[in-house]
């Protein structure tokens, strides 16, 4: 069975809220990043009737068309997966008046966001997704020792939410040291409103 790797770390950032400083949290660790070619090979090897080159071609076309649709003010919903959409990041101070707002001056970035599908049969929102996951502490894995969870360093269907896990539909999506951290603001639900 697939397992999600995590490590426990101490918050030593003195600028953080006093309630968070010195506390211990979990952050997820990735073992590798699959290229599009390797993902296509993986799909082709899973009983697909399509060869690796055909799968890769479709994925490349999907990427091109996804970007095209997003830049045309459209959201793209993949049933069973989720919705891709854009949000805007503006300068911290913004414009003093509506008529003073200038896209070239005040708009600093566009972010591609993703909101997981929350339909009952395909729900992969954060609260449901965590129930499907099995977790392994990297420290226990590296030491080949036992842990307090169940003697193998594995925890089924539980984990730390919130700290270091990112927030759906918000944040800049930056990734540091295996943990996802969000900054900025956006509309968390692409189906409601236009985002920001």
């Amino acid at each position: 069975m697939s397992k999600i790797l995590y490590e426990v770390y101490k918050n030593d950032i003195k600028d953080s809220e006093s309630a968070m400083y010195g506390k211990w949290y979990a952050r997820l660790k990735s073992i590798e990043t699959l290229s599009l070619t390797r993902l296509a090979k993986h799909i082709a090897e899973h009983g697909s009737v399509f060869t690796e080159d055909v799968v890769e071609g479709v994925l490349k076309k999907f990427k091109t068309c996804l970007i095209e649709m997003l830049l045309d003010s459209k959201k793209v919903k993949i049933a069973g997966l989720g919705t891709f959409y854009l949000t805007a990041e503006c300068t911290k101070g913004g414009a003093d008046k509506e008529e003073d707002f200038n896209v070239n001056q005040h708009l600093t970035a566009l972010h591609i966001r993703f909101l997981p599908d929350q339909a009952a049969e395909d729900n992969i929102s954060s609260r449901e997704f965590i129930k499907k996951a099995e977790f392994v502490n990297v420290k226990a894995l590296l030491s080949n020792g036992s842990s307090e969870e169940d003697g193998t360093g594995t925890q089924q269907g539980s984990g730390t939410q919130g700290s270091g896990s990112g927030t759906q539909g918000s944040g800049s999506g930056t990734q540091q040291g295996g943990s996802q951290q969000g900054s900025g603001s956006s509309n968390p639900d692409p189906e409601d409103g236009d985002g920001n």
Side-chain angles (χ1 to χ4, degrees), residues 144-157:
N144 287 327
S146 61
S147 75
E148 296 176 2
E149 286 92 14
D150 66 2
T152 64
T154 301
Q155 289 183 311
Q156 175 68 42

Side-chain angles (χ1 to χ4, degrees), residues 58-78 81-86 112-114:
V58 171
L59 290 174
K60 284 181 178 178
K61 194 65 176 175
F62 170 77
K63 178 198 74 171
T64 303
C65 292
L66 173 65
I67 293 170
E68 180 185 347
M69 294 297 99
L70 292 174
L71 291 173
D72 197 28
S73 293
K74 293 181 172 73
K75 298 171 186 174
V76 178
K77 182 172 183 176
I78 310 299
L81 183 62
T83 303
F84 293 90
Y85 62 105
L86 288 180
I112 298 177
R113 306 293 190 193
F114 173 76

Side-chain angles (χ1 to χ4, degrees), residues 13-79:
I13 302 173
K14 294 185 178 180
D15 290 341
S16 55
E17 296 179 26
S18 59
M20 297 173 65
Y21 179 71
K23 302 295 185 181
W24 292 84
Y25 299 93
R27 62 181 159 213
L28 303 185
K29 302 293 287 183
S30 298
I31 56 173
E32 65 176 314
T33 301
L34 261 62
S35 66
L36 188 139
T37 300
R38 291 194 53 207
L39 177 60
K41 182 178 180 182
H42 176 83
I43 293 171
E45 290 173 347
H46 270 68
S48 173
V49 296
F50 302 106
T51 59
E52 181 182 333
D53 59 330
V54 172
V55 174
E56 185 173 356
V58 171
L59 290 174
K60 284 181 178 178
K61 194 65 176 175
F62 170 77
K63 178 198 74 171
T64 303
C65 292
L66 173 65
I67 293 170
E68 180 185 347
M69 294 297 99
L70 292 174
L71 291 173
D72 197 28
S73 293
K74 293 181 172 73
K75 298 171 186 174
V76 178
K77 182 172 183 176
I78 310 299

Side-chain angles (χ1 to χ4, degrees), residues 98-193:
E98 181 180 353
E99 57 269 23
D100 292 340
F101 185 85
N102 182 298
V103 170
N104 295 322
Q105 181 183 347
H106 297 102
L107 192 63
T108 58
L110 289 176
H111 299 288
I112 298 177
R113 306 293 190 193
F114 173 76
L115 182 71
D117 197 325
Q118 297 183 43
E121 67 275 12
D122 297 312
N123 195 334
I124 56 172
S125 62
S126 59
R127 288 193 176 108
E128 292 300 315
F129 205 38
I130 197 171
K131 295 175 185 176
K132 302 173 184 178
E134 185 173 343
F135 297 88
V136 176
N137 189 321
V138 172
K139 188 175 180 181
L141 190 68
L142 294 175
S143 66
N144 287 327
S146 61
S147 75
E148 296 176 2
E149 286 92 14
D150 66 2
T152 64
T154 301
Q155 289 183 311
Q156 175 68 42
S158 64
T160 302
Q161 281 185 291
S163 303
S165 65
T167 302
Q168 291 178 15
S170 67
S172 62
T174 58
Q175 197 165 15
Q176 299 174 351
S179 65
Q180 294 183 347
Q181 302 173 338
S183 64
S185 62
S186 67
N187 184 345
D189 187 353
E191 298 304 315
D192 297 329

